[in-house]
Amino acid sequence: MSPERELIAVIGTGYVGLVTAAGFAELGSEVWCVDIDAAKVARLRRGEVPIYEPGLEELLAKHSERLHFSTELGDALEHARLLFVAVGTPPTYSGDADLSAVHAVVDAITASEGHALVMKSTVPCGTGAAIRRVFGEQGKGGLSYVSCPEFLKEGSAVRDFLHPDRVVVGDAGDWAGDAVVELYRPLLAETGMRAGGECLPASVETGMRAGGECLPASVEGEYLPASAAANGGGGGGALVRTDVASAEMVKLASNAFLATKISFINEIANVCEETGADVVEVARGMGLDERIGPKFLQAGIGFGGSCFPKDVNALKQLAGNSGYHFQLLTAVIEVNELQKRRVIGKLQKHLGSLVGRRIALLGLAFKPNTDDMREASSLVLAARLNADGATVSGYDPVAEEEARILLGGLQLADSPLEAVRGADAVVLVTEWPQCTGLDWREVAEAMRGTVVIDGRNALDSDAVRAAGLVYEGIGRG
Ligand code: UGA
């Protein structure tokens, strides 16, 4: 361990907790990981990684000596000042976030002047203030609190940790916020951002453009201190040091904005279908405007995962609870729900009634490079197809185990070719390379019918058509 690196604790060993632990270990910290799930802790101690996340297993193995796993919060309190909280905050029936796991940690922490809770879990704006109130009521007012929201994407979480666009630290201005900033220092460009939003160039190179806006992270990255690369970092992220409530809102607003961008381009795609335009060309043309940017403009069959659906709804509820009707987010959610079902209409257009038809779903996870099936479009599609009397087969290179549990009525295949055998139509649901790079002549031979619906606009439409198949994407004229 680098002697100057702070020893930390991470509570909750889900994908955020494990990636955070592995990432800080890579930067040189010793990390105590705590989870109430004894079986999971036993697996982690044996070197088994319970989730599929590219690069994570290797990083955990590389730093096994720096990583300790325990079911006892006391171990964390004994060894670390900073307790990163990365427990689940799933949606409740009301759409609000369920904070019971967070409050279990809050209640379990003993009074101390020297410890801080660092909140990584996604929580509603106002949670930090509420927790500080509870600390006061419980006679634990000496505990510090920092909001440090997570922006990792599943499937590229390790890379995202080591190359953050920004690190957001919301705190009351005491030692704990400074300590969290120090932990992230190797991943930061020498540019910070003050509350109020102005850029603070630490040196001429990291400076501002004429007009005053911050340089994009990619530019700042060129000026990353050499020590960062040596530490496995190299991200060059901007630091946003702010108050707790604003940090909490940055997280929710970021996810809500990205989800809005996706629902927006999906609606544009739907209009493209009526007007003969191609949404891929439209998105390319739009994305070149620096104010819009090219990312998250991929039209498809809707967003899923454990974050966007939950967080958009949680922000809508949060606003509603304080008397504000967040109309835009209501539309974002509804557009997404309808988008997941649009494929059914496309299939009916080509096949007529779906009764007795065989439909193959290629890719089942909510996106590639993960085994996560939460809110995946495949769940909605398979259920709708079954309800309409179709037989559904499916393939996923990684999410098979989850799919077996969640998609009882689906015939799981070991390969894409096996999944499409005898199918009247094939739907690309998740753009895994194993599904996009198929030999379409082989697919055509294996199928009974000819329809290919490209739910992610990720296939080579010419290759599909050249194989004698009928290609239809999302919003492609
Ligand atoms: C998302 C955010 O991108 C992260 O910044 C955030 O930290 C994370 O939620 C979280 O709150 O924990 P994630 O859910 O892992 O990350 O996945 P994304 O890559 O954002 O994709 C979400 C969904 O949107 C997927 O179903 C994907 O297929 C869909 N999507 C994404 C589109 O349909 N179009 C796009 O252009 C981009």
Side-chain angles (χ1 to χ4, degrees):
M1 189 188 77
S2 324
E4 72 278 8
R5 295 289 297 172
E6 172 112 23
L7 196 154
I8 61 162
V10 174
I11 302 166
T13 57
Y15 104 95
V16 170
L18 278 181
V19 173
T20 303
F24 280 128
E26 171 77 357
L27 295 180
S29 284
E30 199 165 324
V31 187
W32 278 85
C33 303
V34 180
D35 201 296
I36 52 168
D37 183 340
K40 200 181 199 186
V41 167
R43 286 184 69 184
L44 286 162
R45 279 184 175 156
R46 288 196 299 270
E48 295 172 25
V49 181
I51 53 167
Y52 177 82
E53 184 61 46
L56 180 60
E57 197 169 348
E58 291 83 342
L59 214 55
L60 290 172
K62 182 176 166 194
H63 299 299
S64 58
E65 290 190 354
R66 289 180 190 157
L67 292 156
H68 313 275
F69 297 98
S70 170
T71 52
E72 299 300 322
L73 185 63
D75 285 336
L77 291 167
E78 184 188 331
H79 292 97
R81 299 190 299 166
L82 298 176
L83 311 166
F84 284 80
V85 179
V87 296
T89 53
T92 59
Y93 287 119
S94 65
D96 297 288
D98 177 355
L99 297 182
S100 52
V102 168
H103 282 292
V105 176
V106 168
D107 292 342
I109 289 185
T110 44
S112 159
E113 299 284 327
H115 287 91
L117 263 196
V118 186
M119 191 57 66
K120 278 267 157 224
S121 301
T122 302
V123 292
C125 188
T127 302
I131 288 176
R132 290 190 71 110
R133 238 180 354 258
V134 172
F135 281 158
E137 286 161 13
Q138 294 178 345
K140 305 191 292 200
L143 287 162
S144 291
Y145 186 91
V146 180
S147 167
C148 182
E150 194 45 75
F151 302 102
L152 307 175
K153 298 183 291 298
E154 289 186 35
S156 60
V158 171
R159 194 198 168 282
D160 291 345
F161 181 91
L162 295 172
H163 301 268
D165 290 343
R166 77 295 209 193
V167 171
V168 177
V169 177
D171 68 303
D174 60 13
W175 67 270
D178 293 343
V180 173
V181 171
E182 278 317 304
L183 270 180
Y184 277 102
R185 180 75 63 198
L187 303 180
L188 298 174
E190 289 178 25
T191 302
M193 207 188 270
R194 277 197 191 122
E198 81 272 39
C199 295
L200 285 180
S203 61
V204 177
E205 312 88 287
T206 57
M208 291 183 232
R209 285 196 189 128
E213 82 269 42
C214 295
L215 291 170
S218 58
V219 177
E220 291 169 355
E222 292 169 24
Y223 303 106
L224 193 75
S227 61
N231 275 331
L239 171 66
V240 181
R241 186 90 187 256
T242 184
D243 60 279
V244 170
S246 301
E248 292 168 341
M249 190 56 100
V250 168
K251 168 68 189 182
L252 290 175
S254 297
N255 273 3
F257 183 79
L258 291 170
T260 303
K261 215 173 166 188
I262 298 170
S263 275
F264 178 85
I265 199 67
N266 282 337
E267 289 223 281
I268 293 291
N270 299 342
V271 178
C272 283
E273 288 180 2
E274 301 302 321
T275 55
D278 181 345
V279 74
V280 175
E281 293 300 302
V282 175
R284 190 159 67 94
M286 286 171 64
L288 287 168
D289 184 327
E290 277 190 13
R291 294 166 303 174
I292 298 174
K295 294 182 181 164
F296 279 70
L297 281 183
Q298 250 175 278
I301 49 176
F303 58 77
S306 64
C307 304
F308 284 172
K310 167 178 83 89
D311 293 347
V312 175
N313 207 21
L315 181 51
K316 182 188 143 178
Q317 298 306 335
L318 179 72
N321 294 345
S322 52
Y324 181 74
H325 178 42
F326 206 143
Q327 294 188 63
L328 182 61
L329 292 188
T330 304
V332 168
I333 294 164
E334 193 182 344
V335 167
N336 196 49
E337 282 167 2
L338 293 173
Q339 200 67 15
K340 290 182 178 179
R341 288 164 168 75
R342 269 180 80 84
V343 168
I344 303 293
K346 288 178 186 288
L347 289 169
Q348 285 165 337
K349 183 179 82 184
H350 291 282
L351 302 175
S353 165
L354 298 180
V355 176
R357 296 294 196 173
R358 189 176 174 83
I359 312 294
L361 304 183
L362 295 183
L364 302 169
F366 86 95
K367 67 173 190 178
N369 289 321
T370 178
D371 59 353
D372 199 336
M373 295 275 303
R374 282 175 287 183
E375 303 282 338
S377 298
S378 63
L379 298 174
V380 174
L381 268 178
R384 285 289 298 108
L385 288 167
N386 277 329
D388 280 3
T391 303
V392 189
S393 58
Y395 165 77
D396 192 285
V398 171
E400 201 177 317
E401 211 173 300
E402 274 301 294
R404 210 178 293 285
I405 298 165
L406 295 171
L407 292 167
L410 181 128
Q411 298 173 4
L412 264 177
D414 288 335
S415 70
L417 267 191
E418 195 192 316
V420 305
R421 200 166 302 287
D424 295 294
V426 168
V427 183
L428 179 79
V429 180
T430 314
E431 64 275 37
W432 284 101
Q434 292 89 333
C435 302
T436 55
L438 290 171
D439 178 335
W440 292 97
R441 290 187 193 282
E442 273 181 15
V443 173
E445 270 172 38
M447 287 175 68
R448 178 166 72 187
T450 56
V451 177
V452 175
I453 308 290
D454 181 0
R456 296 291 172 188
N457 290 343
L459 301 179
D460 177 348
S461 56
D462 291 340
V464 174
R465 290 194 180 103
L469 295 167
V470 176
Y471 173 90
E472 178 161 354
I474 306 293
R476 311 212 62 183

